[in-house]
Amino acid sequence: MIGVLTKVIGMVPRLNFGFRQHTVGDPAAVVGDDVAVRLTGVGVTYGEVDALADIDLDIRRGEITAVIGPNGSGKSTLLSVISGLVRPTRGRVTIDRTRRHPVAHVLQSTVPNESVPLTVLETVRMGAYARRGSFGRLTAADRTVIQDAIDRMRIDDLLHRQLHELSGGQRQRAYVAQGLAERADVLLLDEPITGLDLVTQEVVSEVLREERDRGRAVVVTTHDVGTARAADTVVLMATRIVATGPPTVALTPEILAETYGGHVHVLDDGTLVLDEPHHHDHRHDDQLRG
């Protein structure tokens, strides 16, 4: 018996791994060949609430990095700082400026606004326009990139349907295809498969492995230990970075307990079970969503 189980985290689908440039500080800085993004002393504060505190982190090419932690731990904020959606209150984010298209950011799947009808094809094309600009003409090479993203995400039969007509899994595949069409050096995905169907899990997992193998830096946020175990590098977040390293080093019961703020049990399927609930301030995440 485990005892009184007051909270269960991680009972979500898992990944099975095998837009904007934003620099705070020296705009001419270029990081090392294998480092796509470097965060140095980064903090984000909303009022009196720290969303991120003292973040020092290198994101490397040719790796899948899983960012794991409880709700409100700063995972989404971290991705938004890297992509430029959120400006750090302090510290520096250095992105390799030698790359023409540094970052693509796939947000958590949301229900689209029906008053702004967008088809799947239009959604994916927006990834190419992120590189060309809103009024730039798509080239033959751009169209090849768009079709490649469509084929890899298996959405060819959905191209002329509007986003609000799709299931959550279908819509998320369209959003990931849009990210692929940007051909960015760094691909950020915020909980890309949470609560979605098995087909979407498998398709997204396969594509992210391919992007990693093509030398891109892939960063995925997750609540799931099973997903994190399959990544190349794990970052455990609790507003600050509790630990980072390969899964065998970072995902110990002691580090997980520190991250989640309670006594932790990890079941065979990767589910986290806490004897004590983790109380974390969610206000900064609410502000970000707003």
Side-chain angles (χ1 to χ4, degrees):
M1 290 290 293
I2 294 177
V4 179
L5 305 181
T6 56
K7 190 171 185 179
V8 177
I9 299 176
M11 298 181 66
V12 295
R14 63 188 49 133
L15 293 164
N16 298 306
F17 302 126
F19 301 111
R20 296 183 298 177
Q21 184 166 339
H22 184 60
T23 303
V24 179
D26 179 6
V30 177
V31 295
D33 288 343
D34 65 334
V35 177
V37 182
R38 173 165 292 158
L39 295 91
T40 307
V42 169
V44 175
T45 301
Y46 298 108
E48 298 180 356
V49 178
D50 281 334
L52 293 177
D54 302 321
I55 303 297
D56 294 313
L57 180 64
D58 283 351
I59 304 296
R60 299 185 181 277
R61 296 186 182 88
E63 289 188 359
I64 295 175
T65 299
V67 182
I68 186 171
N71 287 333
S73 62
K75 301 187 301 295
S76 296
T77 303
L78 178 67
L79 297 197
S80 294
V81 165
I82 294 172
S83 69
L85 291 177
V86 170
R87 187 172 184 83
T89 307
R90 55 196 174 275
R92 182 171 64 190
V93 181
T94 307
I95 297 175
D96 188 347
R97 295 174 67 97
T98 65
R99 307 288 172 138
R100 187 175 179 184
H101 311 297
V103 179
H105 189 175
V106 180
L107 301 173
Q108 290 188 41
S109 182
T110 57
V111 178
N113 188 341
E114 293 188 25
S115 65
V116 185
L118 278 176
T119 66
V120 169
L121 180 58
E122 290 167 337
T123 300
V124 180
R125 282 176 174 170
M126 289 171 65
Y129 284 125
R131 294 182 287 114
R132 291 287 175 192
S134 300
F135 299 102
R137 294 186 61 181
L138 296 180
T139 66
D142 292 327
R143 297 183 188 281
T144 298
V145 168
I146 290 167
Q147 188 60 51
D148 178 66
I150 289 168
D151 293 342
R152 293 171 67 193
M153 296 310 301
R154 305 178 195 175
I155 53 174
D156 191 79
D157 59 331
L158 304 174
L159 294 183
H160 302 294
R161 294 181 61 183
Q162 293 188 4
L163 287 179
H164 66 83
E165 299 174 338
L166 305 181
S167 68
Q170 292 170 329
R171 191 161 54 241
Q172 185 67 353
R173 279 187 274 158
Y175 291 146
V176 174
Q178 182 188 84
L180 295 176
E182 291 194 43
R183 277 293 196 262
D185 188 37
V186 181
L187 181 60
L188 311 174
L189 302 102
D190 198 358
E191 298 192 31
I193 61 167
T194 299
L196 299 181
D197 59 276
L198 183 59
V199 171
T200 297
Q201 296 174 46
E202 293 175 345
V203 170
V204 172
S205 297
E206 178 182 356
V207 165
L208 297 191
R209 287 194 301 269
E210 292 170 353
E211 291 299 288
R212 184 264 315 273
D213 294 343
R214 293 179 179 185
R216 292 186 174 87
V218 179
V219 186
V220 177
T221 63
T222 182
H223 288 281
D224 181 65
V225 174
T227 292
R229 280 175 174 163
D232 300 296
T233 297
V234 178
V235 178
L236 284 95
M237 295 285 301
T239 302
R240 62 186 177 89
I241 292 180
V242 179
T244 183
T248 54
V249 173
L251 293 175
T252 66
E254 295 78 15
I255 293 175
L256 287 167
E258 182 179 356
T259 304
Y260 284 89
H263 190 58
V264 174
H265 306 272
V266 183
L267 306 184
D268 290 341
D269 66 355
T271 300
L272 276 182
V273 183
L274 307 188
D275 284 345
E276 299 175 14
H278 182 97
H279 299 292
H280 199 286
D281 197 321
H282 297 264
R283 284 177 289 172
H284 65 272
D285 276 354
D286 292 339
Q287 290 183 30
L288 183 59
R289 294 190 188 98

